[in-house]
């Protein structure tokens, strides 16, 4: 019997060299750098992102979160900050992801699906035709400013589990995860990768103890 484990662990909202060092020391494989957003924690400017990408170097995969919506705008943003992986947080038509991959096949593109109801399943599967992976997160389009992620809230994991069971592409699970709930989330959803921001932070900075506990619990967990 093959036991499965979470592959990548992405610690998002990295704002400083200290955040990056803590996440890497705790075992993170991916670091999320949040560019200009309508809302959410951890937003930093493009110069800070570029500097952090160079600082992180090859110790982890640096991922920029962009709220740009067009293929050319997203690619310009990627070029400006110098990353090889982009998380597209605005809801976009799958044709945008297709166009990015046509123009930049080597770029790893991870569009976000805000899990709202069963319609999210069809959207995720359509994005998965072109994307390298899909990120399932919590969002709210009915508030001002709009929430595209970083909410600290969970969503309907039953819908997420359904997406994982049907997706041909790897799935990141995000949204309100913390050391207390992450194993229950993994057991229900069975994602390939895990992503987290708000609930590992204290006073705006990444908390070393929470981060260590979060990653240790994930790494010691397996399922079949
Ligand atoms: O973190 C943000 O500020 C953010 C803003 C807009 C879109 C996405 C954002 N972050 C992503 O949301 C997930 C989940 O965050 P949380 O753990 O629920 O706070 C985070 O890891 C980022 O991928």
């Amino acid at each position: 019997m093959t036991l499965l484990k979470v592959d990548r662990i992405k610690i998002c909202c990295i704002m400083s060299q200290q955040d990056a060092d803590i996440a890497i020391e705790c075992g993170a494989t991916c670091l999320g750098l949040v560019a200009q957003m309508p809302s959410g924690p951890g937003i930093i400017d493009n110069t800070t992102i570029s500097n952090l990408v160079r600082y992180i170097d090859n110790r982890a995969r640096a991922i920029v979160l962009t709220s740009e919506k067009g293929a050319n705008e997203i690619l310009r943003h990627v070029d400006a900050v110098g990353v090889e992986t982009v998380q597209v947080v605005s809801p976009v038509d799958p044709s945008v992801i297709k166009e990015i991959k046509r123009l930049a096949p080597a770029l790893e593109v991870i569009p976000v699906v805000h899990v709202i109801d069963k319609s999210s399943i069809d959207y995720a599967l359509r994005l998965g035709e072109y994307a390298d992976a899909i990120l399932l997160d919590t969002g709210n389009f009915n508030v001002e400013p709009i929430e595209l992620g970083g909410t600290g809230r969970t969503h309907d994991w039953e819908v997420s589990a359904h997406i994982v069971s049907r997706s041909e592409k790897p799935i990141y699970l995000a949204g309100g995860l913390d050391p207390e709930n992450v194993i229950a989330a993994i057991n229900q959803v069975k994602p390939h990768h895990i992503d987290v921001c708000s609930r590992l932070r204290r006073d705006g900075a990444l908390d070393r103890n929470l981060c260590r506990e979060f990653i240790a619990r994930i790494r010691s967990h397996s399922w079949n």
Side-chain angles (χ1 to χ4, degrees):
M1 179 172 49
T2 312
L3 284 178
L4 300 173
K5 293 179 84 71
V6 165
D7 181 4
R8 297 179 180 180
I9 301 178
K10 170 169 167 259
I11 304 296
C12 206
C13 307
I14 297 296
M15 301 181 75
S16 64
Q17 293 184 357
Q18 180 181 299
D19 278 356
D21 287 339
I22 290 172
I24 293 165
E25 282 160 25
C26 291
T29 59
C30 306
L31 305 188
L33 306 163
V34 184
Q36 192 53 52
M37 291 288 155
S39 66
I43 296 168
I44 50 179
D45 61 40
N46 283 342
T47 305
T48 307
I49 293 178
S50 306
N51 290 339
L52 281 172
V53 170
R54 278 193 294 273
Y55 179 73
I56 295 163
D57 196 24
N58 61 4
R59 294 183 295 154
R61 179 180 297 271
I63 302 179
V64 71
L65 278 70
T66 185
S67 59
E68 298 288 358
K69 297 177 180 135
N72 290 323
E73 290 77 7
I74 291 167
L75 287 174
R76 264 199 294 277
H77 194 177
V78 164
D79 281 346
V81 295
V83 286
E84 294 171 1
T85 307
V86 62
Q87 180 175 329
V88 178
V89 303
S90 296
V92 295
D93 190 83
S95 61
V96 172
I97 307 301
K98 182 181 183 185
E99 179 66 357
I100 295 172
K101 291 298 292 185
R102 188 183 73 78
L103 294 167
L107 178 68
E108 188 175 68
V109 186
I110 310 170
V112 173
V113 172
H114 300 96
V115 176
I116 294 164
D117 54 31
K118 287 192 173 152
S119 68
S120 310
I121 299 170
D122 180 57
Y123 180 50
L125 297 178
R126 289 193 300 123
L127 286 168
E129 286 180 38
Y130 310 108
D132 295 284
I134 303 293
L135 194 147
L136 306 179
D137 198 2
T138 309
N140 189 345
F141 304 115
N142 296 315
V143 291
E144 189 56 49
I146 188 172
E147 289 177 337
L148 296 173
T151 65
R153 299 194 308 271
T154 58
H155 55 260
D156 187 344
W157 290 339
E158 201 178 317
V159 176
S160 290
H162 200 95
I163 293 170
V164 172
S165 72
R166 292 188 53 195
S167 175
E168 290 179 4
K169 296 293 170 65
I171 300 288
Y172 289 79
L173 180 67
L177 299 176
D178 63 28
E180 300 307 317
N181 66 13
V182 71
I183 300 305
I186 292 169
N187 284 340
Q188 185 169 350
V189 179
K190 300 181 169 56
H192 304 81
H193 312 307
I194 285 288
D195 177 24
V196 65
C197 170
S198 312
R199 290 163 83 164
L200 297 191
R201 307 186 73 79
R202 285 205 203 286
D203 302 323
L206 184 62
D207 183 276
R208 186 185 299 273
N209 291 335
L210 286 171
C211 189
R212 187 186 294 123
E213 186 65 19
F214 185 77
I215 294 178
R217 286 190 186 191
I218 296 170
R219 287 300 179 220
S220 58
H221 185 66
S222 54
W223 69 93
N224 57 45

